[in-house]
Amino acid sequence: MLLTSLVLVPFVGSLLAALMPQSARNHESWLAIAVAAYGLIVAGLLFPEVEGGAVMREEFAWLPAQGLYFVLRVDGLAWVFTMLVLVIGLLVVLYARYYMSPEDPVPRFFSFLLAFMGSMLGVVLSGNLVQLVVFWELTSLTSFLLIGYWHHRADARRGARMAFTVTATGGLCLMAGVLVLGHIVGSYDLDVVLAAGEQIREHELYLAALVLIALGALTKSAQFPFHFWLPHAMAAPTPVSSYLHSATMVKAGVFLLVRLWPALAGTPEWTWIIGGAGVCTLLLGAFIAIFQHDLKGLLAYSTISHLGLITVLIGIGTPLAMVAAIFHILNHATFKASLFMAAGIIDHESGTRDLRVLRGLRHKLPITATLAIVASAAMAGVPLLNGFLSKEMFFAETLHVGGERNWWMSYAAVAMGMFSVAYSLRFISIFFGAPAEDLPRDPHEPPRWMRFPVELLVLACLIVGIAPGISIEPILNVAVHAVLGSASPDYDLAVWHGLNLPLLMSVLALAGGVLLYVVLRRHFDLRERDNVPLIHRFNGAQAYETVMLNLTRAASWLLQRLGTARLQPQLLLMMIALLVLPLLLAGAPPAWTQIPLQDFDPLFAALWAIGGGCAIAGAWMAKYHRLAALALVGGTGIITAASFLWLSAPDLALTQLMVETVTTVLILLGLRWLPPRIEPGDLKPVPPRTVWLRRTRDLAVAVAGGLALAALTYAVLVHPASDTIADFFLLNALEGGGGSNVVNVLLVDFRSFDTLGEITVLAIVALTVYALLRRFRPAPESAGVPPQQRNTADPAHGQSPAEQANSGYLMVAGIYLRLLLPFMGVIAVYFFMRGHNLPGGGFVAGLIFAVAILVQYMLAGTAWVESHLHLRPHRWLGLGLLLACATGLGAWLFGHPFLTTHTAHVSWPLVGELHLPSAFVFDLGVFAVVVGTTMLMLVALAHQSLRAHRQPGEDAAGGMN
């Protein structure tokens, strides 16, 4: 369970952080530190096995019928990325403790950060591709929350939306690519996919899978043409940029490419798509970075460029190129995280990140300046620093792939190196010169522990740059062997390889970069430039905004053409579509129109004619007499129940009858608060001709739609059935579900997960209705006492419902109906207990008991009932859902799939043998949810009368307990 805890603990920590008070600043930091430290301990314990080449897996059944399992898998590559996520995460948490302002909602920050950490760990440890996509989209969601953390700022909201739109859309493409890949291989298991490289590359769907997966990876890693979202994400707090945009989230894309390299690489399509995007990105990002005026903007574009470098290496695809790619992933995360933190310190202490006003900071921030200069040198590829080693390997691979004749890749690599030196010098320039006098704040060194993460990362840059063989090579070997296996090349991470072309390219890049910076500084005045030369008209963010604006306009146009504020035209379009589309799809053969009439029963037809008559009459009377319309609709429900009984479905008939009773009473209570209807005398005596035509059209469409659906239903019911799943349920209900009532066994055993979803929806609907009715205030003309109750000739005039039931003309009925409550409770228990073998069950029993409560409200009124019965419907809902979920979790604890039923046979004295299925507890949860739902909606409607009759300033009598 170590791997499971690695992913689970950050999410638990996220929940705990969200629940902490605003003032618990230190506690939240320590919680986040403890979560990251726990992960590091677990990962450290796994290293001996990973170093030996082992692949550890933890597997749980997810959707086994579809071949999906929740698989956590760690090999060398996953372990290295896990350490990257946890080490940088730990340092960022420590840094954030001092960076975040006391006025910031810190619990929310650490909650989002830990949730993102768990999502990233889920991505790198997933052993199932569908599961990987789920965590992939979770990283998009949590990064959206982190980028938009300062949601009061427009730039944060815009950056968060842009990042989420691009990366989540890429995630959808990735999902499609994974589905195609699973179709090719026949499995979504990562080990199976990685072993099927030849099969994948030779398949006709290879290119489709490659393009879709590449879109997911390139959008995540901000590669051309999707690079524009990353600079706008710099509106996030600097700890977020240090974590997401240097070491983790943007590395997810290149991680995926490295992860799937054995399955997808080795073709011209791979080289051109991946390598081509990388070349464009590394040059474009490096060039734009030179002309940025914001510290974080410069670092953002430099990140884009370095990610392009990694992508190029992956696109080249040779074994040594993969070694260089993995090596540079680690190096870049180290120096770029330290640079982002240094930029945050400068912003935190000086109040600005503007390169045009910052200068001479080495006088006020000597230690921070030294650290930032060393990290910038690593970014530029200066010898004896880690960036130099991986960049020299990059130069060597460009020479190898170009051969003796094709040098364009090498030229691009040197140009990128020159640009990186130039923007690194631009970053360093803020520490030299005369100190700025017009800064918002007087800068000074930050707290010791705020600077500590930067010191540690810069120290790592130096150690790896000076002694790579003993510091980083063992870790790099672990990842390389996990990806390349037997194809792993021999390589030597040494500082000096002699005089060779890669070294010459490094010298040219360094010298050319210094010269370029000097020329730009002296002759083009970088401080005064407001746009990027040559390419400032090609604005990716503007193109994105244009696309989104056009999509919004298109949606508005469609809404204006197809939408309407009135419900009737929408229903008309739907009914016409339902009538016309089947005719178009069915084609010419008339066989589908032939309705078999065998076994036609005139009595059954007469029963349906009565039901149809009630429905038509109810629709007609709805305009003139609501109570009569409700009674007629109830008659249709009774006919439906009778039809179920006729067709030998007593369970459905009983359920329909109780549902009809409950809904009729609840609708009756709701009708009380509708505005009075318009009397016929107040209407226009003769409607215009257009109104008659519209009504005739609507009537024709409605009748045609109703007849078509009725005919289709009848045809399906009498059509000879082929083999269906009904036989399976009939044969296995008793043996597999422990009951002979197939309907109840189906609901609480075979399809219990569906039932759990249904009662969850039922509870949500009840809470929503209750919340809406709590805010509902009836129209003034409906709030008073109804005219029927103001008649002085009425013996109940002036009496409350409780007085009528206790001593008024309803006293006899009151005594009878109150005695009916325990009797109906016994009946509910009877139907509940017999439900597994005879018609009944938790749903029917819950409705019967709810009717018993309804009767009490109708008789004695809200105040009397709630003063004598403590209903607490919210608790009924909660208890029901807990019981239903506990049944499923209990099966999990014993190693069975969720909601698996077990039947125990218990012998009791005097009673005999009892069959006690675990579905009994699940059915009890259904019973509680049904009772709670009905009572909650009843209470919400009943309390309207208390509010309507209450005088201003007067408390409501009673209340919902």
Side-chain angles (χ1 to χ4, degrees), residues 194-408:
L194 294 180
E198 290 298 326
Q199 177 185 351
I200 295 170
R201 288 186 286 270
E202 293 173 0
H203 200 276
E204 60 182 359
L205 294 176
Y206 165 73
L207 183 59
L210 173 61
V211 170
L212 290 169
I213 291 173
L215 285 172
L218 297 178
T219 52
K220 201 73 159 185
S221 288
Q223 296 297 284
F224 179 84
F226 312 107
H227 61 283
F228 55 85
W229 69 263
L230 185 58
H232 291 275
M234 294 300 107
T238 299
V240 174
S241 302
S242 301
Y243 194 38
L244 274 67
H245 306 136
S246 65
T248 52
M249 178 182 172
V250 292
K251 293 296 196 304
V254 292
F255 164 80
L256 181 68
L257 295 176
V258 174
R259 178 84 284 176
L260 295 179
W261 181 87
L264 298 176
T267 64
E269 295 87 348
W270 170 273
T271 301
W272 281 105
I273 293 174
I274 305 302
V279 169
C280 294
T281 307
L282 71 88
L283 290 174
L284 194 66
F287 184 69
I288 297 176
I290 299 172
F291 301 95
Q292 295 303 300
H293 299 310
D294 178 69
L295 272 178
K296 287 178 67 176
L298 184 152
L299 294 178
Y301 278 106
S302 70
T303 297
I304 291 171
S305 177
H306 280 271
L307 289 169
L309 185 155
I310 297 167
T311 305
V312 169
L313 287 168
I314 297 171
I316 291 172
T318 62
L320 277 175
M322 295 304 297
V323 174
I326 299 171
F327 188 25
H328 198 67
I329 288 173
L330 300 176
N331 289 338
H332 177 260
T334 307
F335 62 70
K336 191 54 64 70
S338 62
L339 283 170
F340 268 114
M341 291 183 191
I345 290 173
I346 293 167
D347 184 22
H348 191 270
E349 302 303 329
S350 67
T352 182
R353 302 195 306 256
D354 195 335
L355 287 161
R356 292 169 293 188
V357 300
L358 290 169
R359 61 182 181 275
L361 289 178
R362 65 187 176 88
H363 300 286
K364 299 292 184 71
L365 301 168
I367 301 177
T368 302
T370 303
L371 296 171
I373 290 171
V374 174
S376 299
M379 179 169 64
V382 174
L384 299 182
L385 293 168
N386 60 349
F388 168 77
L389 298 173
S390 51
K391 193 172 289 187
E392 192 175 49
M393 294 175 73
F394 169 58
F395 291 153
E397 287 308 303
T398 60
L399 290 170
H400 173 74
V401 74
E404 296 181 357
R405 296 183 179 181
N406 193 344
W407 291 76
W408 69 269

Side-chain angles (χ1 to χ4, degrees), residues 16-30 97 100-110 149:
L16 293 177
L19 297 175
M20 285 187 173
Q22 181 74 24
S23 59
R25 184 184 183 87
N26 289 325
H27 293 87
E28 290 144 1
S29 304
W30 280 112
R97 160 63 184 82
M100 302 304 293
S101 170
E103 287 75 28
D104 289 325
V106 179
R108 185 157 56 89
F109 174 81
F110 282 111
Y149 172 74

